[in-house]
Amino acid sequence: EDMTLMIVNEVDAPSTRDNLKKKLDAIRSQGAGQLELETLALVIDGKSLTYALEKDMEKDFLDLAVMCKAVICCRVSPLQKALVVKLVKKHLKAILLAIGDGANDVSMIQAAHIGVGISGMEGLQAARSADVSIAQFRYLRKLLLVHGAWSYQRISKVILYSFYKNIVLYMTQFWYVFQNVFSGEVIYESWTLSFYNVIFAVLPPFAMGIFDQFISARLLDRYPQLYQLGQKGVFFKMHSFAAWVLNGFYHSLILYVAAEAIWWLDLPQSDGRISGHWVWGTALYTSVLVTVLGKAALVTNTWTKYHVMSIPGSLLIWMVFIPVYGTVMPLAKISREFEGVIPRLFTSPVFWLQIVVLPVLCLTRDFAWKYAKRMYYPQTYHHIQEIQKYNIQDYRPRYVTFSPFTATPDPRE
């Protein structure tokens, strides 16, 4: 009732064109500000919409529509609904969401980037044709603000982490080729190398991609402005991808150089015999695995039982797997590389010290950088995470005064 309605219900194309032109020129000539545009609403019926979607006036119709707070297309056909969606896709660089509950909405839902179907009184045609199905229209808020924000952050983190964990392991082999003069010799036993992405490092991405919550559902609903994190691409930018890749190179270089220095000359042991190449390789593999699992723990926002099962659990799987595999497989003539490795590896204090010191050496920089970002260059969601952590009640004063001496909010306000 408090909005200014602009109604277009003409009977022919020339009248529709003149109506759109007059309204568009009137808004432009008045130089309406943002506040005035918030009160404009366009109402157009199906017959006028048929003419407005023609080639010579579709741009004027779109320009007028985007100036309005709301646009109502009434008594339109399913094809017209889809044409309106395609018109916006054609001229605007925007992600379109279409939502409907009936069979007449199917074409519109399929034309949009994201289709949401409501399963209800009018059947399941819309729900079956959509990307996402919900039971009631009011659930759209939670779908976007909560699950949408979670999904974007989770997928971004999983993609970045997946690149990182592979770079850390396989780049150590790259640094090694300069030492083995490009002979093709490998550091790690072949089967354990294959099991890296199949068994030992596969669970953390699943836990982060399914159960991680960087902010709770309650606060995401309370602060809808956080939805802009996805619109602005905060969690997945080119520099974010480059930073994770470079961090993987950095960790792999530290791990390889430090391990090479520790096991220099195959590290003669107390009985006078050398440790050997495969002892060094298995120790380095373990250090890499602890490092990437430590990185997963560092970037996890909410710990659940599934995170505990996947991150510390993956290390436990490796520590159980390697003595069993290294003992049984040489006897079965499957892995001759591990013959005699396990007794020398697990009795070496250097091995146990290495798998603690090297990951700490790698992740110290990551921890320091995370601390610096949160303390000195915090983003919006960092403040909301603090509100969640300390369970601060919703406090939204109309204005806040600051003391010139303490530079903190005056509690009286």
Side-chain angles (χ1 to χ4, degrees), residues 20-90:
L20 293 175
K21 285 282 187 182
K22 288 179 181 179
K23 288 179 170 54
L24 194 58
D25 293 340
I27 295 176
R28 289 173 175 171
S29 62
Q30 293 176 2
Q34 184 64 32
L35 183 60
E36 295 177 354
L37 293 179
E38 290 287 324
T39 63
L40 295 178
L42 174 63
V43 180
I44 183 170
D45 64 1
K47 191 170 185 179
S48 299
L49 184 62
T50 302
Y51 305 126
L53 291 174
E54 294 179 357
K55 292 291 185 182
D56 58 338
M57 66 180 84
E58 66 176 13
K59 192 63 170 64
D60 291 337
F61 169 63
L62 180 63
D63 292 340
L64 179 61
V66 296
M67 291 180 179
C68 300
K69 179 68 174 178
V71 180
I72 306 296
C73 300
C74 54
R75 295 188 296 275
V76 297
S77 67
L79 177 60
Q80 287 178 315
K81 293 182 179 184
L83 290 176
V84 171
V85 172
K86 292 180 180 179
L87 175 64
V88 180
K89 288 177 66 176
K90 178 180 177 181

Side-chain angles (χ1 to χ4, degrees), residues 123 176 318 383:
Y176 182 58
W318 164 253
H383 297 292

Side-chain angles (χ1 to χ4, degrees), residues 125-138:
Q125 291 91 337
R128 290 171 178 171
S129 304
D131 302 301
V132 181
S133 175
I134 57 178
Q136 298 180 26
F137 184 83
R138 62 188 179 94

Side-chain angles (χ1 to χ4, degrees), residues 214-260:
F214 75 109
I215 294 175
S216 67
R218 177 177 60 88
L219 292 179
L220 284 172
D221 185 74
R222 180 188 298 177
Y223 300 100
Q225 299 87 345
L226 292 172
Y227 188 69
Q228 295 179 353
L229 296 174
Q231 295 174 318
K232 296 178 180 178
V234 172
F235 295 116
F236 195 85
K237 294 182 178 179
M238 184 58 68
H239 74 81
S240 301
F241 180 79
W244 277 79
V245 169
L246 291 176
N247 195 35
F249 277 83
Y250 169 74
H251 286 177
S252 67
L253 186 60
I254 288 182
L255 288 165
Y256 175 76
V257 173
E260 183 65 32

Side-chain angles (χ1 to χ4, degrees), residues 62-325:
L62 180 63
D63 292 340
L64 179 61
V66 296
M67 291 180 179
C68 300
K69 179 68 174 178
V71 180
I72 306 296
C73 300
C74 54
R75 295 188 296 275
V76 297
S77 67
L79 177 60
Q80 287 178 315
K81 293 182 179 184
L83 290 176
V84 171
V85 172
K86 292 180 180 179
L87 175 64
V88 180
K89 288 177 66 176
K90 178 180 177 181
H91 294 283
L92 298 181
K93 293 182 179 179
I95 304 298
L96 270 71
L97 182 146
I99 181 169
D101 63 349
N104 58 342
D105 298 316
V106 170
S107 58
M108 173 188 68
I109 288 173
Q110 293 179 339
H113 292 107
I114 300 101
V116 179
I118 302 176
S119 56
M121 299 296 293
E122 297 193 32
L124 298 175
Q125 291 91 337
R128 290 171 178 171
S129 304
D131 302 301
V132 181
S133 175
I134 57 178
Q136 298 180 26
F137 184 83
R138 62 188 179 94
Y139 295 156
L140 181 64
R141 176 185 177 93
K142 189 172 184 180
L143 175 66
L144 295 178
L145 301 185
V146 178
H147 294 285
W150 279 347
S151 179
Y152 165 69
Q153 191 267 345
R154 290 167 177 171
I155 292 174
S156 300
K157 184 181 293 185
V158 168
I159 293 173
L160 296 172
Y161 179 77
S162 297
F163 275 93
Y164 160 81
K165 70 184 180 70
N166 284 284
I167 289 173
V168 174
L169 178 70
Y170 296 110
M171 281 306 299
T172 55
Q173 181 64 48
F174 174 76
W175 306 126
Y176 182 58
V177 301
F178 296 101
Q179 183 178 347
N180 64 26
V181 292
F182 300 90
S183 64
E185 184 181 8
V186 296
I187 303 177
Y188 313 113
E189 192 266 342
S190 57
W191 280 103
T192 56
L193 189 63
S194 301
F195 288 151
Y196 179 72
N197 279 317
V198 178
I199 299 176
F200 308 123
V202 70
L203 295 179
F206 276 99
M208 290 189 292
I210 299 175
F211 302 105
D212 194 36
Q213 299 178 8
F214 75 109
I215 294 175
S216 67
R218 177 177 60 88
L219 292 179
L220 284 172
D221 185 74
R222 180 188 298 177
Y223 300 100
Q225 299 87 345
L226 292 172
Y227 188 69
Q228 295 179 353
L229 296 174
Q231 295 174 318
K232 296 178 180 178
V234 172
F235 295 116
F236 195 85
K237 294 182 178 179
M238 184 58 68
H239 74 81
S240 301
F241 180 79
W244 277 79
V245 169
L246 291 176
N247 195 35
F249 277 83
Y250 169 74
H251 286 177
S252 67
L253 186 60
I254 288 182
L255 288 165
Y256 175 76
V257 173
E260 183 65 32
I262 292 172
W263 299 87
W264 184 250
L265 299 177
D266 285 330
L267 191 66
Q269 294 187 323
S270 57
D271 60 356
R273 302 179 64 181
I274 60 173
S275 301
H277 175 85
W278 299 112
V279 174
W280 165 63
T282 308
L284 179 55
Y285 188 99
T286 307
S287 300
V288 168
L289 187 60
V290 175
T291 301
V292 298
L293 294 177
K295 180 66 173 179
L298 195 61
V299 299
T300 295
N301 294 289
T302 304
W303 279 85
T304 65
K305 61 181 179 181
Y306 303 104
H307 289 82
V308 175
M309 292 166 58
S310 61
I311 298 177
S314 295
L315 181 60
L316 181 62
I317 292 173
W318 164 253
M319 299 305 292
V320 172
F321 168 86
I322 189 62
V324 174
Y325 178 84

